[in-house]
């Protein structure tokens, strides 16, 4: 196999074309995020922080947790948070479960801005919706399996997905419209119901041992 980014090496090699395609898509996400950042005078990591805080509870909203989520150093995240504090968008509050630990919270102004910024990738939605429902489900499953594999290899640090959760039973009833089963919710799950970011996810032992 030749180099992934060598067009000659890609000829006939589906795996290399998939990786090159994903890398090209990553440019689109970076471009969209940077454009939004320039408009609001924020850095991309600051935008990601605001949007993350909007949708996650206090347990997951600490500087150390954000560093793991974004795979950045704690000083880098602390600098981003410090700027957001200075702008009056974020505050630090004692965590209800451990008063020695600070959790990050959006101010009213920060929440309003985060709600606006959370739409930065919506421009891609019409293009995804051009795929049939069956194609979308298959694409989603393929991405989730790839993310799970990367997490097991330690390349991705956190992925709160069904596929890596100890409560998840895949293909519990393979011929059913809802073939999987969640032992936590005690209910069958269809492919469309699988979660990419579940607040109740607990990493399976096999996945944790590989990380």
């Amino acid at each position: 196999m030749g180099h992934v980014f060598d067009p000659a090496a890609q000829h006939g090699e589906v795996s290399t074309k998939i990786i090159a395609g994903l890398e090209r898509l990553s440019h689109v996400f970076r471009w969209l995020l940077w454009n939004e950042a320039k408009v609001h005078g924020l850095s991309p990591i600051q935008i990601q922080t605001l949007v993350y805080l909007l949708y996650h509870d206090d347990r997951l909203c600490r500087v150390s947790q954000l560093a793991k989520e974004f795979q950045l150093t704690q000083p880098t995240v602390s600098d981003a948070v410090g700027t957001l504090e200075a702008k009056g968008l974020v505050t630090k509050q004692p965590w209800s479960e451990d008063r020695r630990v600070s959790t990050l919270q959006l101010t009213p102004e920060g929440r309003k801005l985060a709600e606006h910024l959370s739409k930065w990738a919506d421009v891609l939605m019409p293009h995804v919706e051009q795929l049939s429902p069956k194609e979308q489900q298959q694409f989603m499953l393929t991405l989730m399996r790839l993310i799970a594999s990367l997490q097991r290899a330690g390349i991705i640090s956190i992925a709160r997905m069904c596929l890596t959760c100890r409560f998840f039973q895949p293909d519990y009833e393979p011929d059913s419209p809802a073939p999987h089963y969640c032992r936590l919710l005690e209910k069958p799950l269809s492919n469309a119901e699988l979660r990419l970011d579940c607040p109740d996810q607990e990493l399976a032992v096999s996945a944790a041992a590989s990380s």
Side-chain angles (χ1 to χ4, degrees), residues 33-102:
L33 195 52
W34 268 112
N35 276 356
E36 198 72 30
K38 287 186 289 186
V39 169
H40 295 280
L42 298 170
S43 69
I45 185 58
Q46 289 164 4
I47 289 179
Q48 289 176 299
T49 297
L50 290 173
V51 174
Y52 178 89
L53 295 179
L54 179 64
Y55 293 113
H56 294 84
D57 61 32
D58 287 353
R59 177 174 57 89
L60 300 174
C61 293
R62 291 166 286 146
V63 168
S64 59
Q65 182 67 27
L66 264 67
K68 293 177 184 176
E69 295 280 348
F70 301 147
Q71 296 188 225
L72 297 170
T73 64
Q74 286 199 38
T76 298
V77 175
S78 292
D79 286 346
V81 169
T83 300
L84 294 174
E85 284 186 281
K87 290 177 177 287
L89 302 173
V90 168
T91 62
K92 288 181 180 177
Q93 301 293 332
W95 188 28
S96 58
E97 296 184 22
D98 185 345
R99 308 292 289 183
R100 298 169 299 177
V101 177
S102 295

